[in-house]
Amino acid sequence: MTPAADGAGVVLRDVVKTFPLGDGERLAAVDGVSLTLEPGSLTALTGPSGSGKSTLLHLIGAIERADSGSIAVDGRELTAASRAQLAAYRRGVGFVFQRFHLLPALTALDNVLVPVLPYRNLGFDRAERARELLDAVGLAGRESALPSRLSGGQQQRVAIARALITRPRLLLADEPTGNLDSHTGRAILDLLLGLRERHHVTIVLSTHDASIAAECERVVDLLDGRPAVR
Ligand SMILES: Nc1ncnc2c1ncn2[C@@H]1O[C@H](COP(=O)(O)OP(=O)(O)O)[C@@H](O)[C@H]1O
Ligand SMILES: [Mg+2]
């Protein structure tokens, strides 16, 4: 399998993120992580609840800012970026969540279009791309369906199509199979593997599921905010 050459490359060095505990102390949710994600690679973050998987994804996606350390995406340092630069960066990152987060009143097609609503000129036909993506995730013919008419696995497929509409070079998926039965979860992983090939994207996902992690080319096992030594 040839990795996509134009996915983003991410280099983390000694990244620390703390949260206040309320008693004046701080908890290190991510505690000195150094990690290199090659362009087009697929990495699984594993580890028990509270080990820092979501926080690490939020740092890479610039939803949270690191307290210290360095996160460079294609050589550009996130920790030094302005708010406007971070907003622009986030537009190039696709996010997928455990609970899908579809808008219930919108059709599958309109949900896929949500991330591009603010933009007038995209350089591509948004409706055409949304249809292509729904086709690519196996939902051709379901464009007009409301989320309530779709199964959990189908809803996650819509969410993945939505994450890809901006042509991201980096896709971050926080327990994307966590609300799905193992068979459906496996199908979603296979979908992500295929999309990585076709859409040239670097993928980082978190998972509790050892059988999902086993299919990923690289596993980073976290414990207390650090790669675990087991
Ligand atoms: N916004 C927050 N405020 C306070 N503590 C947080 C916040 N986000 C995460 N944490 C804490 O950081 C640690 C790591 O959490 P998280 O990254 O969500 O782990 P995981 O995704 O592996 O379950 C946990 O102890 C969690 O309670
Ligand atoms: Mg989490």
Side-chain angles (χ1 to χ4, degrees), residues 17-21 27-30 46-56 58 64 174-175 206 208 222 225:
K17 175 67 183 177
T18 65
F19 292 107
L21 278 176
L27 168 89
V30 170
T46 61
S49 194
S51 58
K53 303 181 295 296
S54 295
T55 304
L56 194 54
H58 295 167
E64 306 260 21
D174 198 356
E175 307 208 24
S206 70
H208 269 106
L222 294 174

Side-chain angles (χ1 to χ4, degrees), residues 70-119:
S70 149
I71 304 174
V73 181
D74 295 329
R76 285 203 309 260
E77 183 53 55
L78 292 187
T79 49
S82 68
R83 286 179 61 165
Q85 286 169 328
L86 287 182
Y89 165 71
R90 262 182 239 116
R91 288 199 285 277
V93 180
F95 291 97
V96 175
F97 305 96
Q98 181 173 354
R99 290 179 199 284
F100 324 137
H101 293 313
L102 300 181
L103 293 172
L106 298 187
T107 65
L109 187 77
D110 286 340
N111 264 287
V112 175
L113 288 166
V114 163
V116 291
L117 283 176
Y119 310 114

Side-chain angles (χ1 to χ4, degrees), residues 187-225:
I188 290 292
L189 179 70
D190 287 342
L191 172 65
L192 290 172
L193 291 169
L195 291 171
R196 179 175 70 128
E197 297 290 286
R198 292 233 292 282
H199 293 272
H200 308 297
V201 64
T202 302
I203 301 179
V204 190
L205 61 83
S206 70
T207 183
H208 269 106
D209 184 335
S211 71
I212 294 283
E215 297 299 320
C216 298
E217 64 188 16
R218 181 169 181 209
V219 178
V220 176
D221 190 25
L222 294 174
L223 185 65
D224 298 334

